[in-house]
Amino acid sequence: MNRWIDTHSHILPAVDDGSVSMEQTKNMLKIAHEEGIIVLIATPHYGVGCLNTDVEVLKKKLEQVRQEAKQIDENFRIELGNELYYDDEIIEHLRKKKALTLAGTRYVLVEFNKEDEYQNIKTGLHRLLIHGYLPILAHVERYDCLYDNLDRIDELIRLGAYMQMNISSITGKLTDRETRNCKKLMDYGMIHLVCTDSHSDYKRAPRMKEGLSRIKRRYGDQVLHQILIENTRKLINNQHI
Ligand SMILES: [Fe+2]
């Protein structure tokens, strides 16, 4: 059985709009493990000027969640990061380690306003790159300025950014705009990472199986292996994807 690495989740209890309690976190861990996830990066939201949970508090919660994960499986590994809401000052926050990269690597998970202009997204990703970070654009399928615009996404990839898609977007109906967009991006090989972006144990639970079998059916084992095994392993080992 393959084991997956999920690099985007809101599983830490009561730190953002994700899990509301340790009880819910435990349920999410159980679901994630049943779905085949063996490494999971907790990525609570972080925004400049927002009420962010202090890193020390996050680390304490992480330890508690790690203990719970160990009860399920000795090898179940939980790491820490943030989902950064882009702001020019975010680089300073990363430098000061107030905001976190993914699992201590150079990779940063970054989101923008859904309605942001293309130039802002491009400049933001570029700024992260020139400061030595490897930016992963969170849920690329959501941005209006990138919708149905493969040239722009291609430009961002050439710049050095990585594209992340939510697995829930691939299991939707083709009448759904994000699902259609995802299909196109997958067709053109423009997705580097597929994650759960889980927020709870019910509505946005850490489910992988259905989406993965769809990827396998549509694109084959090789693509599945590349995105879900090779790329995620490189990320966690701080190597270039
Ligand atoms: Fe998220």
Side-chain angles (χ1 to χ4, degrees):
M1 181 186 175
N2 271 322
R3 286 293 187 182
W4 317 109
I5 301 174
D6 184 15
T7 58
H8 182 171
S9 79
H10 301 268
I11 198 160
L12 289 194
V15 294
D16 62 4
D17 61 341
S19 169
V20 293
S21 63
M22 188 51 95
E23 222 31 57
Q24 190 168 68
T25 295
K26 281 197 235 173
N27 289 339
M28 289 171 78
L29 286 170
K30 273 184 216 145
I31 295 169
H33 191 259
E34 280 162 18
E35 292 283 316
I37 295 167
I38 197 68
V39 183
L40 196 155
I41 307 183
T43 52
H45 291 285
Y46 186 95
V48 173
C50 299
L51 276 176
N52 302 298
T53 308
D54 200 74
V55 173
E56 290 314 308
V57 177
L58 292 182
K59 284 184 178 165
K60 270 188 200 144
K61 297 210 178 206
L62 174 73
E63 277 317 311
Q64 291 165 359
V65 176
R66 280 179 169 163
Q67 293 308 319
E68 295 298 336
K70 277 226 157 27
Q71 306 274 323
I72 297 170
D73 183 335
E74 264 297 302
N75 300 313
F76 198 176
R77 182 176 153 197
I78 316 295
E79 297 291 339
L80 188 59
N82 273 133
E83 180 176 13
L84 312 169
Y85 187 83
Y86 187 80
D87 181 287
D88 283 350
E89 278 183 44
I90 203 76
I91 287 155
E92 204 45 39
H93 289 231
L94 282 163
R95 283 261 167 82
K96 289 181 178 159
K97 301 204 185 305
K98 291 204 281 186
L100 300 171
T101 64
L102 295 180
T105 67
R106 289 168 63 202
Y107 286 93
V108 288
L109 180 66
V110 60
E111 67 172 337
F112 293 78
N113 187 306
K114 186 181 170 296
E115 288 156 13
D116 229 340
E117 281 175 27
Y118 175 62
Q119 203 54 42
N120 290 347
I121 294 182
K122 187 179 156 190
T123 308
L125 293 172
H126 191 231
R127 282 196 75 236
L128 285 162
L129 279 159
I130 58 176
H131 283 88
Y133 298 103
L134 300 173
I136 299 165
L137 182 60
H139 29 70
V140 55
E141 66 273 25
R142 280 195 200 164
Y143 303 98
D144 293 345
C145 67
L146 301 179
Y147 183 74
D148 224 359
N149 200 324
L150 297 176
D151 286 348
R152 284 181 170 180
I153 293 173
D154 184 54
E155 188 174 41
L156 297 179
I157 293 172
R158 281 172 200 274
L159 205 61
Y162 299 95
M163 301 298 132
Q164 182 255 303
M165 178 182 95
N166 281 3
I167 198 144
S168 56
S169 297
I170 208 158
T171 52
K173 294 192 175 94
L174 279 175
T175 45
D176 179 77
R177 170 185 153 105
E178 285 176 9
T179 302
R180 267 201 320 276
N181 201 12
C182 277
K183 186 178 174 301
K184 197 172 233 179
L185 296 176
M186 284 292 297
D187 287 349
Y188 283 85
M190 289 177 156
I191 297 294
H192 301 96
L193 295 157
V194 174
C195 308
T196 67
D197 191 8
S198 60
H199 276 69
S200 77
D201 54 352
Y202 56 103
K203 204 171 161 220
R204 294 171 78 184
R207 305 230 174 254
M208 293 283 260
K209 281 182 184 165
E210 195 192 338
L212 297 188
S213 71
R214 237 181 247 208
I215 293 173
K216 187 175 168 174
R217 220 167 42 231
R218 231 179 247 161
Y219 305 99
D221 266 327
Q222 208 188 334
V223 170
L224 185 71
H225 194 269
Q226 176 75 50
I227 295 176
L228 270 301
I229 306 276
E230 284 184 39
N231 290 358
T232 51
R233 276 192 196 153
K234 281 182 183 161
L235 184 156
I236 213 108
N237 290 319
N238 205 14
Q239 297 162 343
H240 270 280
I241 293 173

